[in-house]
Amino acid sequence: MKNIIYFGLIMTASALTSCDKYLDIQPVGTVIPASESDFRGVMTSGYVGFPAHKSYLSLRTDELLLDESSTDAAQTKDIYLWNDQNPDPATIAYPYLAFYKSIFYSNQIISTIDEKLTSNATVDQIKGEAYLMRAYSHFELLNCYSEVYSPSNIALRGVPLSTKIDLEQRFVPATIGDSYAQVLSDMEKGTVLLTVDDQAKGVNYRFSKRAAYAMASRVHLYRGEWQAAIDAAKQALKINDKLVDLNVGGSLLPNDFESAEIIMALEKVSISEVRSSSFISPALLLSYPDGDLRKGRYFQKRGADYVSLKGGENRFNVSFRNAELYLTIAECNARLGNTAEALKYLSALKKNRFTADAYAKQMKADADLSKEQLLDAVLLERKRELALEGLRWYDLKRTTRPAITHTSFGKTATLQQNDPRYVIRYPQEAINNNPDLLK
């Protein structure tokens, strides 16, 4: 029988056998890694502790309905209703400190590894991963707790930057411009250091060059830098451009850590508290036309409702995969007016997601679309393809910021068009511990 090494087991084993002493933040000087395995253990701790925030983000979108009969609904209903100002005490708090724990491990590596070890392929890889983890953690904090990047927003409040181990440091938010400058700098430094093009299945929760390029593509997309996003996506696809063909019997889900298109399988995007307290929204289900194979592969009927098949266990953890890159290239080309190139990448994805007859109809209809209609079609395809992977909230936030209405426990709440709540409020506990967050 094939010996499948699951991501969660790999990480748990690593944490218990080689880095249990690093699982909690320690004061400077109490724990000093000295060997390659020590530094790998510190880096693994950064991966292990990375938060499952994207699962909560899905509750804020048009993807889910709250199941009021669930015992976990009390923990998630205020997230679902965008009640960030005064949530019920039972409400799960959005992660904040967890990001900085992962950053702490990165900083420990970056600040000490050159003193302890001589540069080689393994050492450079670990250090590169540390830079990229620091960049990705700050990037995710920005996506949650600050406005979107734009030239007119660069002076607005970003997030506190942590680039050194300093227990006396005041964590005052930097501007959006300075926050993104740090993200871009860390991405550049980390990518140059990486020596692994593509991580093996089972350890592909780690950063690789392919993951670094995918991350750069997403960062540039969210910053509105269309050509840079295209270029980074194509660099990742040069290493591996495969897509899962759902027409093939027995094919894996595209976000399975062993699938042909997975790039990095780090983040838990569908945790139990969210899965048990929600159903798939009818609006999302209706977005899949006849012949779209994803409706039957991504979702399953349970009673009168549908639930997701894309999460619930570690094998479906996902941060980056090739389908997103195809859609990024399609979107950016559509925005730049390169309709033929946009159609090329949109078509390549659809061929692997629709039956042959449905695909032919899709391509005929897409060929007649205007530039604006083609962009809408690509964004719709992102909604279908990346459903419940934690990116829908970011897509809504960076594009049209539409009005969304949720009803639960007799309360109806509406997220208005361009609602300020598209920028999530810092958790109250974080504000209590650091009033500078509101400056």
Side-chain angles (χ1 to χ4, degrees):
M1 179 182 292
K2 184 178 179 182
N3 183 22
I4 299 175
I5 302 177
Y6 290 98
F7 161 61
L9 296 178
I10 286 285
M11 298 184 74
T12 300
S14 297
L16 292 177
T17 60
S18 63
C19 66
D20 56 330
K21 57 186 176 181
Y22 303 116
L23 289 179
D24 294 310
I25 290 182
Q26 301 286 338
V28 174
T30 62
V31 174
I32 303 175
S35 66
E36 288 182 5
S37 61
D38 286 344
F39 280 101
R40 172 51 69 192
V42 174
M43 192 66 241
T44 300
S45 291
Y47 289 126
V48 169
F50 198 80
H53 61 297
K54 286 181 176 168
S55 195
Y56 310 131
L57 291 178
S58 294
L59 284 166
R60 298 178 76 92
T61 71
D62 52 3
E63 295 179 312
L64 296 173
L65 295 180
L66 194 68
D67 177 10
E68 297 180 7
S69 66
S70 167
T71 56
D72 289 320
Q75 296 179 279
T76 58
K77 64 180 178 64
D78 278 330
I79 298 174
Y80 183 70
L81 298 173
W82 311 286
N83 181 18
D84 304 322
Q85 186 71 33
N86 187 31
D88 186 287
T91 302
I92 299 170
Y94 275 95
Y96 174 72
L97 181 60
F99 288 110
Y100 288 100
K101 287 185 178 180
S102 290
I103 292 171
F104 177 92
Y105 297 124
S106 295
N107 285 339
Q108 189 175 27
I109 292 168
I110 293 166
S111 64
T112 61
I113 196 168
D114 290 340
E115 300 172 7
K116 299 295 180 181
L117 300 174
T118 302
S119 173
N120 60 38
T122 300
V123 170
D124 289 351
Q125 173 67 28
I126 294 170
K127 187 177 179 182
E129 290 177 43
Y131 272 114
L132 287 161
M133 174 59 80
R134 190 167 78 180
Y136 193 54
S137 297
H138 282 126
F139 177 56
E140 285 300 307
L141 283 161
L142 283 162
N143 286 329
C144 290
Y145 300 116
S146 76
E147 265 293 352
V148 296
Y149 177 90
S150 73
S152 61
N153 284 347
I154 58 174
L156 298 181
R157 186 186 70 196
V159 296
L161 299 176
S162 176
T163 59
K164 58 185 177 180
I165 297 176
D166 181 359
L167 298 184
E168 303 302 320
Q169 179 181 352
R170 286 186 63 195
F171 281 83
V172 179
T175 65
I176 288 176
D178 288 344
S179 298
Y180 268 101
Q182 184 64 52
V183 169
L184 293 171
S185 174
D186 281 346
M187 281 199 314
E188 182 179 2
K189 291 176 182 177
T191 303
V192 170
L193 286 165
L194 294 178
T195 57
V196 175
D197 287 344
D198 196 11
Q199 295 284 2
K201 307 303 182 186
V203 293
N204 53 351
Y205 60 87
R206 300 174 182 173
F207 280 101
S208 62
K209 284 191 176 181
R210 189 173 162 222
Y213 296 141
M215 176 183 166
S217 179
R218 187 183 293 171
V219 171
H220 289 303
L221 174 69
Y222 288 9
R223 284 167 56 92
E225 297 162 344
W226 314 130
Q227 190 58 53
I230 292 171
D231 294 343
K234 287 186 175 181
Q235 283 182 293
L237 292 176
K238 280 183 181 178
I239 299 172
N240 177 347
D241 65 354
K242 295 177 182 177
L243 291 169
V244 172
D245 188 352
L246 295 183
N247 287 282
V248 176
S251 57
L252 296 173
L253 287 180
N255 67 311
D256 189 297
F257 86 100
E258 287 193 297
S259 81
E261 69 180 67
I262 203 73
I263 300 172
M264 187 172 176
L266 171 63
E267 294 170 87
K268 295 179 180 179
V269 295
S270 184
I271 63 171
S272 60
E273 293 88 345
V274 174
R275 289 178 61 81
S276 66
S277 64
S278 61
F279 299 118
I280 307 303
S281 75
L284 176 57
L285 294 170
L286 287 171
S287 72
Y288 297 91
D290 291 341
D292 191 328
L293 296 165
R294 289 170 295 195
K295 184 175 181 180
R297 291 298 307 278
Y298 291 1
F299 312 111
Q300 181 181 63
K301 195 165 186 180
R302 181 179 294 171
D305 298 291
Y306 283 81
V307 294
S308 173
L309 294 175
K310 297 180 76 176
E313 54 182 295
N314 285 331
R315 72 174 307 117
F316 299 118
N317 291 1
V318 58
S319 291
F320 307 105
R321 59 186 180 91
N322 284 350
E324 181 190 355
L325 301 181
Y326 277 75
L327 288 166
T328 293
I329 295 173
E331 178 183 339
C332 292
N333 275 298
R335 292 184 183 279
L336 292 170
N338 304 325
T339 55
E341 193 73 359
L343 281 169
K344 172 184 171 183
Y345 282 87
L346 181 62
S347 172
L349 178 62
K350 286 188 172 183
K351 186 175 183 180
N352 290 278
R353 300 297 189 256
F354 286 84
T355 64
D357 289 345
Y359 169 71
K361 293 177 182 177
Q362 287 282 316
M363 290 306 94
K364 183 177 180 180
D366 288 348
D368 295 329
L369 297 177
S370 66
K371 173 186 172 181
E372 292 75 17
Q373 290 171 330
L374 179 56
L375 176 59
D376 288 341
V378 175
L379 293 175
L380 174 59
E381 202 59 24
R382 283 184 67 91
K383 175 181 177 180
R384 295 166 176 163
E385 177 60 28
L386 304 174
L388 300 205
E389 293 182 29
L391 300 181
R392 178 65 175 165
W393 178 253
Y394 298 159
D395 282 346
L396 295 173
K397 179 180 176 181
R398 71 181 177 87
T399 56
T400 59
R401 297 192 177 196
I404 306 173
T405 297
H406 285 170
T407 300
S408 180
F409 293 98
K411 294 182 179 179
T412 296
T414 298
L415 191 71
Q416 302 291 344
Q417 177 88 37
N418 295 317
D419 199 297
R421 288 173 293 178
Y422 270 107
V423 177
I424 299 173
R425 187 177 187 271
Y426 284 113
Q428 189 60 49
E429 181 181 9
I431 295 171
N432 292 342
N433 291 333
N434 181 16
D436 286 337
L437 286 175
L438 298 183
K439 291 185 177 180

